[in-house]
Amino acid sequence: MRSPLLWPPRKGTQHLVDPKGATCREHLEAAGHICLLKDTSDLESSSEIAHFIKAEKLEAALALHLYRGGRLLQGHGIPFGIIFGGTDLNEDINQREKNQVMGKVLEEARFAVAFTESMKEMAQMQWPHARDKIYVQSQGIVTVPNAAFNWNTFLHCSGINQSADNLHIFLLVCGLRQVKDPLYLVDAFSEWHQEEPNVYMVIVGPEVDPVFTREVKAKVKRTPGVRLLREMPQEDLHAALKNCFAVLNSSVSEGMSAAILEHATATGGEHLNSALNDEKSHPQQDLWEENLLKGTTAVLVERPEPHTFPVHGCCCSA
C-alpha cells in the first residue's frame, strides 16, 4: 500500500520533519507498506494535496496533529488516520474555528490514536461522535546514542569549563517557543548555581519562534548558571541525555515529551518535570504516576505561581 505520512514541520531546524515521523515510516515500511514522509508546510492548499495524491497514486494516509495534519486530508477520497499531537488537544481545542475543523476531520477519519487514556477521554468529551474510533497507543521511543559523542566537548561548547566529574547538568530540550516556557526555571536555577557552582541548566533546541528566541537569548546571556545551545543531531542529543544529571520539562502545554521518554529509554535515570499547570489537564500525568508507582525516579511537580518553583526540594538523586 502506498501512503503518505503528513508531519508538521519543525521550522528553523536542520530536520525538516520531526524525527518521530521517520521512525513511524520505518515501522510501516517494515510491515510492507510504501510510505512517503511529507512536510505539511509543503502542502498548504487542497489542490496541492489532490495533485500529490493523484501523482503518487496514494491509497491511504496517516497524519500527526488533528488540525495541522488532519485538515489537509479532508475530501480527497482516500482513507486516513490521525495521531493526536498534543497542542491540538491542549491548545487548538480552545479556539472555536479550529475546534470545528477538527471535529469534521474526525467525522471523516477512519481512526484516531491518542498516546494516553486521558488524551483519549479529552477527545471523546469534545467530539462524542468520534468516541468509537479513538484508540490508545503508547508512544514508542527508540534511542541511538552516538558512541563517539564527547561529553567534555559538549560542556566546552556550552561554555562550562569545569571538571565533568563534579557537575550536575540539567537539560531542558525544547523548541524555543512560548508554549514550551524554557525561561520558567531560569531564575531559580541561577540562584541555585550561585549557591552551588557545579549546578547548571542547559537549554537545547531549535529556534522555532524568532521573536521569542531573541528574548530567550537575551535572558540567558545575563543569567549565571544557565546556557543555551542550538539543536543537536539526534544521536548526539541522545548521548547528552544519557550523560546529564536530569532532564527538565517546563511546558505550559504538553502532549507527551519525547525528551523525557528518550532519557528514560537511554538511561532509566532521573527525570524532573515541572510541566503541570493548575488550569490545564496534563496528559503526561498518566506516565509519571505509573513511573512513581514503579519506584523509578520520575518527579511530577504542580506549577505554583510563576518563578517560585522550589528547585532544591524537587531534584532526584541517581
Side-chain angles (χ1 to χ4, degrees), residues 240-251:
L241 291 170
K242 187 175 181 179
N243 280 275
C244 72
F245 180 76
V247 175
L248 307 170
N249 183 327
S250 55
S251 296

Side-chain angles (χ1 to χ4, degrees), residues 47-69:
S47 60
E48 288 177 314
I49 289 286
H51 176 75
F52 176 61
I53 291 172
K54 183 177 180 180
E56 298 293 343
K57 299 179 180 178
L58 302 176
E59 301 169 74
L62 179 63
L64 176 70
H65 202 282
L66 183 55
Y67 182 75
R68 285 187 285 172

Side-chain angles (χ1 to χ4, degrees), residues 17-199:
V17 181
D18 192 300
K20 293 190 289 295
T23 302
C24 186
R25 177 180 61 185
E26 290 171 4
H27 283 286
L28 290 172
E29 289 180 338
H33 302 288
I34 300 173
C35 295
L36 304 176
L37 185 57
K38 198 70 174 175
D39 186 328
T40 56
S41 65
D42 294 335
L43 299 167
E44 295 184 345
S45 71
S46 180
S47 60
E48 288 177 314
I49 289 286
H51 176 75
F52 176 61
I53 291 172
K54 183 177 180 180
E56 298 293 343
K57 299 179 180 178
L58 302 176
E59 301 169 74
L62 179 63
L64 176 70
H65 202 282
L66 183 55
Y67 182 75
R68 285 187 285 172
R71 65 190 174 91
L72 298 175
L73 295 173
Q74 290 180 274
H76 294 292
I78 62 171
F80 66 87
I82 297 294
I83 302 173
F84 292 113
T87 54
D88 43 10
L89 289 179
N90 294 332
E91 301 294 327
D92 295 339
I93 202 172
N94 298 316
Q95 299 181 36
R96 183 177 178 180
E97 183 178 343
K98 289 184 177 181
N99 188 311
Q100 292 176 344
V101 170
M102 293 189 291
K104 291 179 180 178
V105 171
L106 284 175
E107 287 180 6
E108 192 172 336
R110 295 289 182 90
F111 65 88
V113 176
F115 292 140
T116 67
E117 286 291 341
S118 59
M119 291 178 72
K120 175 183 176 180
E121 291 169 4
M122 190 185 306
Q124 288 178 329
M125 185 179 300
Q126 191 66 216
W127 303 291
H129 64 273
R131 176 174 296 275
D132 295 332
K133 62 173 68 173
I134 302 175
Y135 303 89
V136 174
Q137 174 64 58
S138 298
Q139 185 170 337
I141 292 291
V142 177
T143 54
V144 186
N146 181 2
F149 178 81
N150 189 301
W151 181 241
N152 288 318
T153 300
F154 171 84
L155 295 175
H156 179 74
C157 292
S158 303
I160 300 173
N161 299 310
Q162 296 184 33
S163 171
D165 297 335
N166 300 316
L167 288 175
H168 289 158
I169 305 297
F170 292 77
L171 284 186
L172 194 159
V173 182
C174 69
L176 300 185
R177 53 194 178 110
Q178 290 186 341
V179 72
K180 295 300 181 180
D181 204 3
L183 297 180
Y184 180 70
L185 297 175
V186 163
D187 289 336
F189 265 96
S190 183
E191 291 177 12
W192 191 6
H193 170 76
Q194 292 177 66
E195 295 176 10
E196 299 182 50
N198 63 333
V199 172

